[in-house]
Amino acid sequence: PVTFAVTGPATISGSSLTFRTVSTATVTATQAGDGNTLPATATVTVTAAKAEQTIAFTAPATATFGQPVTLAATASSGLPVTFAVTGPAAISGSTLTFRTAGTATVTATQAGDDNTLPATATVTVIAAKAAQTIAFTAPAAATVGAPVTLVATASSGLPVTFAVTGPAALSGSALTLSAAGTATVTATQAGDDSYHPATALVTVTTT
């Protein structure tokens, strides 16, 4: 039988050679001889290449404009992963935030080290439009012929428009009832590339 010994950054178990780091090791094969045979040795040099690695990276199940999502990616080497984005979004650490609804491409990178090759993985993340609400309260009092100012605010910060049905007229945000009764006022925010539309209704009754 032949036995093996190694010098360098590696270990031998039986006939299995395992490197502890990327480098070069010298392996000596020895046959000790016996009563009829002289001992013999043979030596080879073995160089270990860097190991490949992979990154497990799945796109977030959902994403919405304005709502941060946490990215998760794991390198098979156990080394840390960094993220970069192209598209209408920004990354801080592992947190992805869209500046507008749309599609972004996120790349997870592990740069490698002395023993491991670099690796990347890419996913596409689609952010949906965000919902918005309108805060709209009916005027406390209204009198026929006396304008009242309507106030409504969209959570998006986008401008709100008004429409009325009933015995009243609108001029911008000024509501004037033309007769005794009740008018229904609708506040509308039409939405944009990042927000869904929203409406809110109030009734205004003359006093």
PDB file of all heavy atoms in Angstrom, residues 68-99:
ATOM      1  N   PRO A  68     -40.842  51.084   2.153  1.00  0.00           N
ATOM      2  CA  PRO A  68     -39.571  50.352   2.075  1.00  0.00           C
ATOM      3  C   PRO A  68     -39.775  48.847   2.168  1.00  0.00           C
ATOM      4  O   PRO A  68     -40.668  48.364   2.872  1.00  0.00           O
ATOM      5  CB  PRO A  68     -38.788  50.873   3.291  1.00  0.00           C
ATOM      6  CG  PRO A  68     -39.432  52.180   3.635  1.00  0.00           C
ATOM      7  CD  PRO A  68     -40.886  52.031   3.280  1.00  0.00           C
ATOM      8  N   VAL A  69     -38.957  48.116   1.426  1.00  0.00           N
ATOM      9  CA  VAL A  69     -38.959  46.654   1.518  1.00  0.00           C
ATOM     10  C   VAL A  69     -37.535  46.196   1.833  1.00  0.00           C
ATOM     11  O   VAL A  69     -36.559  46.835   1.423  1.00  0.00           O
ATOM     12  CB  VAL A  69     -39.463  45.981   0.224  1.00  0.00           C
ATOM     13  CG1 VAL A  69     -40.924  46.259   0.002  1.00  0.00           C
ATOM     14  CG2 VAL A  69     -38.656  46.434  -0.987  1.00  0.00           C
ATOM     15  N   THR A  70     -37.438  45.110   2.568  1.00  0.00           N
ATOM     16  CA  THR A  70     -36.137  44.580   2.953  1.00  0.00           C
ATOM     17  C   THR A  70     -35.716  43.482   1.991  1.00  0.00           C
ATOM     18  O   THR A  70     -36.476  42.541   1.740  1.00  0.00           O
ATOM     19  CB  THR A  70     -36.174  44.030   4.393  1.00  0.00           C
ATOM     20  OG1 THR A  70     -36.525  45.092   5.282  1.00  0.00           O
ATOM     21  CG2 THR A  70     -34.822  43.479   4.794  1.00  0.00           C
ATOM     22  N   LEU A  71     -34.518  43.618   1.434  1.00  0.00           N
ATOM     23  CA  LEU A  71     -33.957  42.624   0.525  1.00  0.00           C
ATOM     24  C   LEU A  71     -33.202  41.569   1.329  1.00  0.00           C
ATOM     25  O   LEU A  71     -32.561  41.875   2.342  1.00  0.00           O
ATOM     26  CB  LEU A  71     -33.002  43.284  -0.467  1.00  0.00           C
ATOM     27  CG  LEU A  71     -33.592  44.419  -1.311  1.00  0.00           C
ATOM     28  CD1 LEU A  71     -32.479  45.147  -2.062  1.00  0.00           C
ATOM     29  CD2 LEU A  71     -34.622  43.874  -2.290  1.00  0.00           C
ATOM     30  N   ALA A  72     -33.274  40.335   0.863  1.00  0.00           N
ATOM     31  CA  ALA A  72     -32.563  39.239   1.523  1.00  0.00           C
ATOM     32  C   ALA A  72     -31.844  38.414   0.471  1.00  0.00           C
ATOM     33  O   ALA A  72     -32.470  37.917  -0.474  1.00  0.00           O
ATOM     34  CB  ALA A  72     -33.529  38.376   2.324  1.00  0.00           C
ATOM     35  N   ALA A  73     -30.546  38.291   0.611  1.00  0.00           N
ATOM     36  CA  ALA A  73     -29.745  37.466  -0.299  1.00  0.00           C
ATOM     37  C   ALA A  73     -28.652  36.798   0.520  1.00  0.00           C
ATOM     38  O   ALA A  73     -28.082  37.404   1.431  1.00  0.00           O
ATOM     39  CB  ALA A  73     -29.141  38.313  -1.411  1.00  0.00           C
ATOM     40  N   THR A  74     -28.353  35.546   0.173  1.00  0.00           N
ATOM     41  CA  THR A  74     -27.368  34.771   0.927  1.00  0.00           C
ATOM     42  C   THR A  74     -26.372  34.139  -0.027  1.00  0.00           C
ATOM     43  O   THR A  74     -26.755  33.493  -1.009  1.00  0.00           O
ATOM     44  CB  THR A  74     -28.057  33.665   1.748  1.00  0.00           C
ATOM     45  OG1 THR A  74     -29.060  34.251   2.579  1.00  0.00           O
ATOM     46  CG2 THR A  74     -27.048  32.929   2.605  1.00  0.00           C
ATOM     47  N   ALA A  75     -25.088  34.346   0.251  1.00  0.00           N
ATOM     48  CA  ALA A  75     -24.032  33.720  -0.545  1.00  0.00           C
ATOM     49  C   ALA A  75     -23.719  32.341   0.018  1.00  0.00           C
ATOM     50  O   ALA A  75     -23.666  32.158   1.242  1.00  0.00           O
ATOM     51  CB  ALA A  75     -22.783  34.584  -0.535  1.00  0.00           C
ATOM     52  N   SER A  76     -23.504  31.389  -0.876  1.00  0.00           N
ATOM     53  CA  SER A  76     -23.200  30.030  -0.423  1.00  0.00           C
ATOM     54  C   SER A  76     -21.885  29.978   0.352  1.00  0.00           C
ATOM     55  O   SER A  76     -21.658  29.057   1.140  1.00  0.00           O
ATOM     56  CB  SER A  76     -23.138  29.085  -1.626  1.00  0.00           C
ATOM     57  OG  SER A  76     -22.144  29.513  -2.560  1.00  0.00           O
ATOM     58  N   SER A  77     -21.016  30.977   0.145  1.00  0.00           N
ATOM     59  CA  SER A  77     -19.743  31.047   0.860  1.00  0.00           C
ATOM     60  C   SER A  77     -19.914  31.520   2.294  1.00  0.00           C
ATOM     61  O   SER A  77     -19.001  31.391   3.111  1.00  0.00           O
ATOM     62  CB  SER A  77     -18.804  32.019   0.140  1.00  0.00           C
ATOM     63  OG  SER A  77     -19.359  33.338   0.161  1.00  0.00           O
ATOM     64  N   GLY A  78     -21.090  32.126   2.591  1.00  0.00           N
ATOM     65  CA  GLY A  78     -21.296  32.725   3.895  1.00  0.00           C
ATOM     66  C   GLY A  78     -20.738  34.130   4.009  1.00  0.00           C
ATOM     67  O   GLY A  78     -20.854  34.766   5.058  1.00  0.00           O
ATOM     68  N   LEU A  79     -20.146  34.651   2.932  1.00  0.00           N
ATOM     69  CA  LEU A  79     -19.597  36.004   2.930  1.00  0.00           C
ATOM     70  C   LEU A  79     -20.711  37.023   2.744  1.00  0.00           C
ATOM     71  O   LEU A  79     -21.772  36.705   2.196  1.00  0.00           O
ATOM     72  CB  LEU A  79     -18.553  36.144   1.816  1.00  0.00           C
ATOM     73  CG  LEU A  79     -17.305  35.262   1.977  1.00  0.00           C
ATOM     74  CD1 LEU A  79     -16.461  35.290   0.703  1.00  0.00           C
ATOM     75  CD2 LEU A  79     -16.485  35.707   3.175  1.00  0.00           C
ATOM     76  N   PRO A  80     -20.505  38.272   3.169  1.00  0.00           N
ATOM     77  CA  PRO A  80     -21.578  39.281   3.093  1.00  0.00           C
ATOM     78  C   PRO A  80     -21.902  39.687   1.661  1.00  0.00           C
ATOM     79  O   PRO A  80     -21.027  39.705   0.778  1.00  0.00           O
ATOM     80  CB  PRO A  80     -21.013  40.460   3.885  1.00  0.00           C
ATOM     81  CG  PRO A  80     -19.531  40.274   3.844  1.00  0.00           C
ATOM     82  CD  PRO A  80     -19.296  38.792   3.831  1.00  0.00           C
ATOM     83  N   VAL A  81     -23.167  40.041   1.454  1.00  0.00           N
ATOM     84  CA  VAL A  81     -23.683  40.432   0.139  1.00  0.00           C
ATOM     85  C   VAL A  81     -24.042  41.911   0.170  1.00  0.00           C
ATOM     86  O   VAL A  81     -24.572  42.411   1.160  1.00  0.00           O
ATOM     87  CB  VAL A  81     -24.926  39.596  -0.223  1.00  0.00           C
ATOM     88  CG1 VAL A  81     -25.559  40.066  -1.522  1.00  0.00           C
ATOM     89  CG2 VAL A  81     -24.550  38.121  -0.323  1.00  0.00           C
ATOM     90  N   THR A  82     -23.747  42.613  -0.922  1.00  0.00           N
ATOM     91  CA  THR A  82     -24.153  44.012  -1.058  1.00  0.00           C
ATOM     92  C   THR A  82     -25.145  44.129  -2.217  1.00  0.00           C
ATOM     93  O   THR A  82     -25.232  43.251  -3.078  1.00  0.00           O
ATOM     94  CB  THR A  82     -22.952  44.928  -1.323  1.00  0.00           C
ATOM     95  OG1 THR A  82     -22.282  44.499  -2.529  1.00  0.00           O
ATOM     96  CG2 THR A  82     -21.968  44.875  -0.160  1.00  0.00           C
ATOM     97  N   PHE A  83     -25.889  45.263  -2.231  1.00  0.00           N
ATOM     98  CA  PHE A  83     -26.937  45.463  -3.231  1.00  0.00           C
ATOM     99  C   PHE A  83     -26.699  46.767  -3.999  1.00  0.00           C
ATOM    100  O   PHE A  83     -26.192  47.748  -3.451  1.00  0.00           O
ATOM    101  CB  PHE A  83     -28.314  45.519  -2.564  1.00  0.00           C
ATOM    102  CG  PHE A  83     -28.680  44.276  -1.798  1.00  0.00           C
ATOM    103  CD1 PHE A  83     -28.524  44.220  -0.418  1.00  0.00           C
ATOM    104  CD2 PHE A  83     -29.169  43.159  -2.457  1.00  0.00           C
ATOM    105  CE1 PHE A  83     -28.859  43.075   0.295  1.00  0.00           C
ATOM    106  CE2 PHE A  83     -29.505  42.007  -1.753  1.00  0.00           C
ATOM    107  CZ  PHE A  83     -29.354  41.975  -0.379  1.00  0.00           C
ATOM    108  N   ALA A  84     -27.120  46.754  -5.261  1.00  0.00           N
ATOM    109  CA  ALA A  84     -27.129  47.961  -6.092  1.00  0.00           C
ATOM    110  C   ALA A  84     -28.409  47.935  -6.913  1.00  0.00           C
ATOM    111  O   ALA A  84     -28.938  46.864  -7.232  1.00  0.00           O
ATOM    112  CB  ALA A  84     -25.903  48.010  -7.003  1.00  0.00           C
ATOM    113  N   VAL A  85     -28.916  49.124  -7.282  1.00  0.00           N
ATOM    114  CA  VAL A  85     -30.191  49.202  -7.991  1.00  0.00           C
ATOM    115  C   VAL A  85     -30.079  50.132  -9.178  1.00  0.00           C
ATOM    116  O   VAL A  85     -29.367  51.130  -9.138  1.00  0.00           O
ATOM    117  CB  VAL A  85     -31.322  49.661  -7.034  1.00  0.00           C
ATOM    118  CG1 VAL A  85     -31.074  51.064  -6.521  1.00  0.00           C
ATOM    119  CG2 VAL A  85     -32.683  49.554  -7.703  1.00  0.00           C
ATOM    120  N   THR A  86     -30.783  49.784 -10.233  1.00  0.00           N
ATOM    121  CA  THR A  86     -31.006  50.688 -11.359  1.00  0.00           C
ATOM    122  C   THR A  86     -32.511  50.822 -11.539  1.00  0.00           C
ATOM    123  O   THR A  86     -33.249  49.845 -11.412  1.00  0.00           O
ATOM    124  CB  THR A  86     -30.366  50.168 -12.658  1.00  0.00           C
ATOM    125  OG1 THR A  86     -30.882  48.867 -12.964  1.00  0.00           O
ATOM    126  CG2 THR A  86     -28.854  50.070 -12.526  1.00  0.00           C
ATOM    127  N   GLY A  87     -32.956  52.050 -11.805  1.00  0.00           N
ATOM    128  CA  GLY A  87     -34.384  52.305 -11.935  1.00  0.00           C
ATOM    129  C   GLY A  87     -34.833  53.313 -10.890  1.00  0.00           C
ATOM    130  O   GLY A  87     -34.014  53.887 -10.167  1.00  0.00           O
ATOM    131  N   PRO A  88     -36.149  53.509 -10.762  1.00  0.00           N
ATOM    132  CA  PRO A  88     -36.688  54.568  -9.902  1.00  0.00           C
ATOM    133  C   PRO A  88     -36.735  54.181  -8.432  1.00  0.00           C
ATOM    134  O   PRO A  88     -37.787  54.169  -7.792  1.00  0.00           O
ATOM    135  CB  PRO A  88     -38.096  54.769 -10.461  1.00  0.00           C
ATOM    136  CG  PRO A  88     -38.485  53.400 -10.933  1.00  0.00           C
ATOM    137  CD  PRO A  88     -37.225  52.791 -11.488  1.00  0.00           C
ATOM    138  N   ALA A  89     -35.578  53.829  -7.887  1.00  0.00           N
ATOM    139  CA  ALA A  89     -35.531  53.368  -6.503  1.00  0.00           C
ATOM    140  C   ALA A  89     -34.157  53.670  -5.922  1.00  0.00           C
ATOM    141  O   ALA A  89     -33.204  53.956  -6.648  1.00  0.00           O
ATOM    142  CB  ALA A  89     -35.840  51.878  -6.418  1.00  0.00           C
ATOM    143  N   ALA A  90     -34.065  53.579  -4.605  1.00  0.00           N
ATOM    144  CA  ALA A  90     -32.806  53.788  -3.898  1.00  0.00           C
ATOM    145  C   ALA A  90     -32.619  52.665  -2.893  1.00  0.00           C
ATOM    146  O   ALA A  90     -33.593  52.080  -2.408  1.00  0.00           O
ATOM    147  CB  ALA A  90     -32.802  55.139  -3.193  1.00  0.00           C
ATOM    148  N   ILE A  91     -31.359  52.371  -2.586  1.00  0.00           N
ATOM    149  CA  ILE A  91     -31.037  51.331  -1.607  1.00  0.00           C
ATOM    150  C   ILE A  91     -30.193  51.941  -0.494  1.00  0.00           C
ATOM    151  O   ILE A  91     -29.252  52.699  -0.745  1.00  0.00           O
ATOM    152  CB  ILE A  91     -30.281  50.162  -2.276  1.00  0.00           C
ATOM    153  CG1 ILE A  91     -31.260  49.263  -3.040  1.00  0.00           C
ATOM    154  CG2 ILE A  91     -29.519  49.344  -1.241  1.00  0.00           C
ATOM    155  CD1 ILE A  91     -30.618  48.088  -3.713  1.00  0.00           C
ATOM    156  N   SER A  92     -30.564  51.602   0.729  1.00  0.00           N
ATOM    157  CA  SER A  92     -29.758  51.931   1.898  1.00  0.00           C
ATOM    158  C   SER A  92     -29.540  50.635   2.659  1.00  0.00           C
ATOM    159  O   SER A  92     -30.488  50.094   3.251  1.00  0.00           O
ATOM    160  CB  SER A  92     -30.466  52.963   2.772  1.00  0.00           C
ATOM    161  OG  SER A  92     -29.727  53.218   3.955  1.00  0.00           O
ATOM    162  N   GLY A  93     -28.330  50.122   2.588  1.00  0.00           N
ATOM    163  CA  GLY A  93     -28.072  48.806   3.178  1.00  0.00           C
ATOM    164  C   GLY A  93     -28.844  47.749   2.412  1.00  0.00           C
ATOM    165  O   GLY A  93     -28.615  47.527   1.235  1.00  0.00           O
ATOM    166  N   SER A  94     -29.806  47.122   3.095  1.00  0.00           N
ATOM    167  CA  SER A  94     -30.642  46.114   2.431  1.00  0.00           C
ATOM    168  C   SER A  94     -32.079  46.597   2.263  1.00  0.00           C
ATOM    169  O   SER A  94     -32.971  45.802   1.981  1.00  0.00           O
ATOM    170  CB  SER A  94     -30.633  44.809   3.235  1.00  0.00           C
ATOM    171  OG  SER A  94     -31.140  45.033   4.540  1.00  0.00           O
ATOM    172  N   THR A  95     -32.299  47.903   2.413  1.00  0.00           N
ATOM    173  CA  THR A  95     -33.646  48.467   2.301  1.00  0.00           C
ATOM    174  C   THR A  95     -33.829  49.155   0.957  1.00  0.00           C
ATOM    175  O   THR A  95     -33.073  50.061   0.601  1.00  0.00           O
ATOM    176  CB  THR A  95     -33.907  49.473   3.438  1.00  0.00           C
ATOM    177  OG1 THR A  95     -33.758  48.809   4.694  1.00  0.00           O
ATOM    178  CG2 THR A  95     -35.321  50.033   3.337  1.00  0.00           C
ATOM    179  N   LEU A  96     -34.837  48.716   0.229  1.00  0.00           N
ATOM    180  CA  LEU A  96     -35.146  49.246  -1.096  1.00  0.00           C
ATOM    181  C   LEU A  96     -36.390  50.122  -0.998  1.00  0.00           C
ATOM    182  O   LEU A  96     -37.422  49.691  -0.487  1.00  0.00           O
ATOM    183  CB  LEU A  96     -35.411  48.091  -2.074  1.00  0.00           C
ATOM    184  CG  LEU A  96     -35.860  48.448  -3.487  1.00  0.00           C
ATOM    185  CD1 LEU A  96     -34.724  49.113  -4.263  1.00  0.00           C
ATOM    186  CD2 LEU A  96     -36.354  47.206  -4.228  1.00  0.00           C
ATOM    187  N   THR A  97     -36.294  51.362  -1.499  1.00  0.00           N
ATOM    188  CA  THR A  97     -37.427  52.281  -1.479  1.00  0.00           C
ATOM    189  C   THR A  97     -37.604  52.880  -2.856  1.00  0.00           C
ATOM    190  O   THR A  97     -36.657  53.437  -3.437  1.00  0.00           O
ATOM    191  CB  THR A  97     -37.209  53.419  -0.459  1.00  0.00           C
ATOM    192  OG1 THR A  97     -36.945  52.847   0.826  1.00  0.00           O
ATOM    193  CG2 THR A  97     -38.438  54.300  -0.365  1.00  0.00           C
ATOM    194  N   PHE A  98     -38.825  52.780  -3.384  1.00  0.00           N
ATOM    195  CA  PHE A  98     -39.115  53.317  -4.708  1.00  0.00           C
ATOM    196  C   PHE A  98     -39.435  54.806  -4.616  1.00  0.00           C
ATOM    197  O   PHE A  98     -40.185  55.246  -3.741  1.00  0.00           O
ATOM    198  CB  PHE A  98     -40.285  52.564  -5.346  1.00  0.00           C
ATOM    199  CG  PHE A  98     -39.877  51.284  -6.014  1.00  0.00           C
ATOM    200  CD1 PHE A  98     -39.679  50.135  -5.262  1.00  0.00           C
ATOM    201  CD2 PHE A  98     -39.678  51.224  -7.380  1.00  0.00           C
ATOM    202  CE1 PHE A  98     -39.300  48.945  -5.866  1.00  0.00           C
ATOM    203  CE2 PHE A  98     -39.295  50.042  -7.992  1.00  0.00           C
ATOM    204  CZ  PHE A  98     -39.098  48.904  -7.238  1.00  0.00           C
ATOM    205  N   ARG A  99     -38.876  55.583  -5.567  1.00  0.00           N
ATOM    206  CA  ARG A  99     -39.187  57.013  -5.653  1.00  0.00           C
ATOM    207  C   ARG A  99     -40.467  57.258  -6.427  1.00  0.00           C
ATOM    208  O   ARG A  99     -41.087  58.313  -6.322  1.00  0.00           O
ATOM    209  CB  ARG A  99     -38.032  57.761  -6.328  1.00  0.00           C
ATOM    210  CG  ARG A  99     -36.738  57.732  -5.524  1.00  0.00           C
ATOM    211  CD  ARG A  99     -35.694  58.608  -6.174  1.00  0.00           C
ATOM    212  NE  ARG A  99     -35.298  58.122  -7.475  1.00  0.00           N
ATOM    213  CZ  ARG A  99     -34.288  57.296  -7.695  1.00  0.00           C
ATOM    214  NH1 ARG A  99     -33.566  56.849  -6.671  1.00  0.00           N
ATOM    215  NH2 ARG A  99     -33.972  56.898  -8.910  1.00  0.00           N
TER     216      ARG A  99
END
